[in-house]
Amino acid sequence: MTPEIIIVTVILLVALVLFISEKLSLDLTALGIMVALMVTGLLTPRDAVAGFANPAPLTVGGLFIVTRGLVRTGALTFLTTLLTNLTKGKPKLILLYSLLLVGLLSAFINNTPVVVMMLTVIIALAGHFSLSPARFLMPLSFASILAGTTTLIGTSTNIIVSDQAAAGGMEPLGMFELAKVGLPLAVVGVILLFLLSDGLLPRTRTPILRQDKGAKHKYIAELTIPEGSPLLGREAISALKKAYPEVVVHEVVQGDRVCFPETDYCELIGGDAILLSATAADLVSIIHSEDAQLPLVAGRSMANPYDPNTAIVEAIVPPDSHMLGRRVKDTVLGAADDVVVIGAQRRRHHFHAQDMGRLRLKTGDILLVQCGPGSLQWLRDDSELIIVEDNVPSPANSRRAPMALAIFLAMVGVAALGVANILTAALAGAFLMVISGCLQLHEAYEAVDVPVLMLIIGTIALGAALTASGAADLYASGFLSLFQGLGPRGVLAALIILTSLLSHVLSNNSTAVLLVPIGLAAATAMDVDPRPFIVGICFGASACFASPIGYQTNLLVYGPGGYRFMDFVRLGMVLNVVVWVGAPLLVPLFWSF
């Protein structure tokens, strides 16, 4: 083992630890990788920063802008309206049509904004028809991941792998080349989601602010159980249901633990916080009876939740929010006079208002926010947060929707027909979105997820160092030694499963970039065509269903669905097995060794 291999291995291991632990942000870790490779002399400065001129991150950046143009103009809103009209509140129809719609969109659009859009629609339908959004949100995330593997632009991972393959002397992937395997896997996966989701997922309900005209208005409130309350020692739902039949208990916070009364047994103790929906009359009655009381926020009593001048809503932090990594007090929420963040929830861990000073926001965090009507409308219109409510805000620039849709279809068409490569099509689409007025220039800049691009660029540099130092060949020979006698098919299956497992703890983009050199080296060592291995990495990198932290869309639905980690394991392992078994069987049928 040469000194170069030892050094690059140490850099790789440190990077993996930082990626998993998130001690540093992903983009800062990626920058550190490039600096380390230059300082140690493993790569020249030109080679270390070559990723900035690489077609993959530039293509992904262009697609970010095109997708934001579609969402901003509401070019796809008619589909969600159609979904609402067709389902008429029937859960099976909502699930079926949602899976089909998300699958169709995610094949051509980055799946994160698709799931963000559908998240608001599903919550609106769930609130309107009194359904549990947990029955739909995880299947939507999984369907978007499956559909993303059917086309070149369905997920940024495919674009990165294609570019890495081209850099290794292979033909880049075609627009629909992956559909030969991706489409059958997606069809089987969607069928299983439709059949199994209802039995494997919980029925937790998301609190929402009711907006129905003519209906008895309900408010969200967080109340605390004082010492001496008549409710002490009683189960949360039954304690309130008898005296207040219309009250809906959503969550009970006991210390840092969050429990959902519909699925967990929650016996009330002094100091518990209850998140509930109730009419103004019921809230007044509960507080006056001393069953519960309003909590203190920043040392003072919170304004009444039924005060007509305030509203209490839940807000989800999306993956592209500029609030990520910042403390609440350092965001616009902390600066507004009529906005109070009462609490936050992350993966069933609750943070009270007093904890906001130390909490740095992450994707999927749920904030309980009390605000005035002006700030509520501003929060709805702003893209920094997703407001959980039972109505879907109108798009900001709907007049440009036909133009945005035409630009998107033209981009897909010219790339699919080979008139232009995907980089040219994506950048042209991004340019047209701005020049046509579908997006303002500052909105286009905001649409580009810089940390994701930096992550891609940093891991491209690390992948180049693995190849140049000979580490990729060494890792490949060690990998092959574990599967001697199994032949190319066995190695392909092992590579797909390894890629899938790594993608549960790393980002799928990082996993793909790091394993492509190993796949190419393994193919060279076995004297076979590397294309089946490259295609297998595409499917393995997206097969991260069994963890909420393995994929952005999984993390996004984790909180709003009220899921536990094991909910993802139960349903997600079914789809992992579909890919682990199906991809090794199907890939060699279309790409021979």
Side-chain angles (χ1 to χ4, degrees):
M1 186 179 293
T2 64
E4 290 81 6
I5 294 178
I6 295 175
I7 294 172
V8 78
T9 300
V10 171
I11 294 174
L12 173 62
L13 292 175
V14 172
L16 291 177
V17 170
L18 292 175
F19 283 146
I20 295 171
S21 66
E22 297 184 7
K23 293 293 185 182
L24 296 178
S25 64
L26 295 181
D27 49 338
L28 188 58
T29 299
L31 182 60
I33 290 172
M34 290 186 283
V35 171
L37 294 175
M38 287 188 285
V39 170
T40 57
L42 291 174
L43 291 179
T44 65
R46 178 183 294 273
D47 291 336
V49 300
F52 285 98
N54 190 287
L58 294 176
T59 302
V60 173
L63 292 176
F64 280 145
I65 295 174
V66 172
T67 301
R68 176 63 65 87
L70 289 172
V71 174
R72 192 66 173 163
T73 60
L76 306 175
T77 302
F78 74 96
L79 292 174
T80 59
T81 303
L82 181 64
L83 173 67
T84 304
N85 294 334
L86 287 176
T87 57
K88 300 186 184 303
K90 297 179 181 178
K92 282 293 185 182
L93 288 181
I94 292 176
L95 180 59
L96 176 62
Y97 291 150
S98 298
L99 291 174
L100 296 177
L101 177 57
V102 167
L104 175 65
L105 296 178
S106 296
F108 300 99
I109 303 174
N110 183 285
N111 50 17
T112 299
V114 172
V115 172
V116 167
M117 178 183 72
M118 289 302 298
L119 177 68
T120 59
V121 174
I122 289 300
I123 289 177
L125 289 173
H128 186 70
F129 296 109
S130 298
L131 300 172
S132 168
R135 301 171 66 178
F136 313 107
L137 294 181
M138 190 190 299
L140 291 188
S141 176
F142 289 171
S144 74
I145 297 172
L146 286 168
T149 63
T150 61
T151 68
L152 176 62
I153 62 174
T155 173
S156 57
T157 305
N158 296 346
I159 297 172
I160 296 167
V161 172
S162 176
D163 182 73
Q164 292 290 93
M170 298 170 54
E171 282 292 319
L173 296 174
M175 174 65 79
F176 297 106
E177 184 176 351
L178 295 175
K180 302 169 187 174
V181 173
L183 189 58
L185 293 180
V187 169
V188 172
V190 166
I191 291 173
L192 290 174
L193 286 172
F194 180 73
L195 295 177
L196 302 178
S197 296
D198 206 38
L200 294 178
L201 295 178
R203 299 293 182 90
T204 53
R205 296 182 185 274
T206 300
I208 51 178
L209 180 64
R210 299 293 298 177
Q211 301 285 346
D212 298 340
K213 292 182 179 180
K216 188 176 291 187
H217 198 104
K218 284 192 174 183
Y219 301 83
I220 294 176
E222 181 178 297
L223 304 179
T224 58
I225 305 299
E227 296 293 346
S229 168
L231 304 181
L232 294 179
R234 299 172 62 184
E235 195 277 328
I237 292 182
S238 61
L240 289 166
K241 273 293 184 183
K242 186 174 181 180
Y244 313 102
E246 295 187 10
V247 169
V248 179
V249 181
H250 302 290
E251 300 168 2
V252 176
V253 181
Q254 298 181 327
D256 289 336
R257 172 178 172 260
V258 178
C259 83
F260 297 91
E262 292 189 346
T263 56
D264 307 329
Y265 179 79
C266 302
E267 183 177 299
L268 297 176
I269 59 177
D272 282 357
I274 301 180
L275 185 63
L276 49 79
S277 298
T279 64
D282 281 342
L283 285 173
V284 171
S285 180
I286 292 171
I287 294 169
H288 286 179
S289 67
E290 298 184 353
D291 288 340
Q293 61 188 22
L294 292 170
L296 295 178
V297 176
R300 57 185 175 83
S301 181
M302 186 181 68
N304 285 344
Y306 43 85
D307 183 339
N309 295 318
T310 66
I312 299 179
V313 296
E314 285 197 320
I316 306 168
V317 182
D320 59 349
S321 174
H322 291 88
M323 295 184 182
L324 292 175
R326 300 171 63 187
R327 294 185 176 92
V328 172
K329 67 178 183 179
D330 298 327
T331 68
V332 291
L333 296 177
D337 293 332
D338 61 343
V339 174
V340 177
V341 180
I342 302 170
Q345 182 185 323
R346 174 184 299 160
R347 304 174 197 171
R348 287 186 170 243
H349 185 88
H350 187 84
F351 298 85
H352 295 281
Q354 290 79 1
D355 303 320
M356 292 298 109
R358 63 183 176 87
L359 177 66
R360 292 187 181 272
L361 297 176
K362 293 185 177 182
T363 298
D365 284 354
I366 302 178
L367 307 178
L368 187 65
V369 181
Q370 183 177 26
C371 56
S375 292
L376 177 58
Q377 187 59 47
W378 166 75
L379 289 174
R380 286 194 187 115
D381 296 338
D382 192 66
S383 60
E384 298 299 319
L385 295 169
I386 304 169
I387 302 301
V388 180
E389 54 189 346
D390 64 346
N391 59 350
V392 181
S394 301
N397 195 9
S398 57
R399 293 184 298 106
R400 297 289 181 180
M403 177 63 73
L405 190 58
I407 293 171
F408 169 71
L409 293 176
M411 181 196 74
V412 173
V414 298
L417 295 174
V419 176
N421 61 40
I422 186 61
L423 172 61
T424 303
L427 292 183
F431 172 75
L432 291 174
M433 282 289 182
V434 176
I435 206 71
S436 65
C438 296
L439 283 177
Q440 299 297 318
L441 185 58
H442 72 89
E443 292 175 320
Y445 281 122
E446 292 171 357
V448 178
D449 195 335
V450 175
V452 170
L453 299 188
M454 284 297 299
L455 178 62
I456 296 172
I457 292 166
T459 49
I460 285 174
L462 185 54
L466 290 174
T467 301
S469 66
D473 293 329
L474 179 65
Y475 300 161
S477 62
F479 179 72
L480 292 175
S481 67
L482 299 174
F483 305 99
Q484 287 180 344
L486 295 182
R489 287 177 179 268
V491 173
L492 173 63
L495 184 61
I496 290 172
I497 294 174
L498 173 63
T499 308
S500 173
L501 293 175
L502 284 178
S503 71
H504 281 76
V505 292
L506 299 176
S507 78
N508 51 347
N509 289 336
S510 301
T511 301
V513 172
L514 295 177
L515 288 184
V516 165
I518 297 174
L520 292 174
T524 302
M526 300 178 71
D527 195 24
V528 297
D529 190 337
R531 202 165 192 83
F533 293 147
I534 295 301
V535 171
I537 289 173
C538 286
F539 290 104
S542 291
C544 46
F545 303 102
S547 167
I549 61 175
Y551 208 92
Q552 279 190 334
T553 56
N554 289 351
L555 196 57
L556 188 59
V557 302
Y558 189 13
Y563 298 117
R564 293 179 180 274
F565 191 96
M566 286 305 298
D567 294 327
F568 283 87
V569 174
R570 277 196 303 271
L571 187 58
M573 278 306 298
V574 174
L575 299 184
N576 275 344
V577 171
V578 168
V579 176
W580 292 353
V581 174
L585 292 176
L586 293 175
V587 168
L589 297 180
F590 300 100
W591 298 273
S592 60
F593 293 102

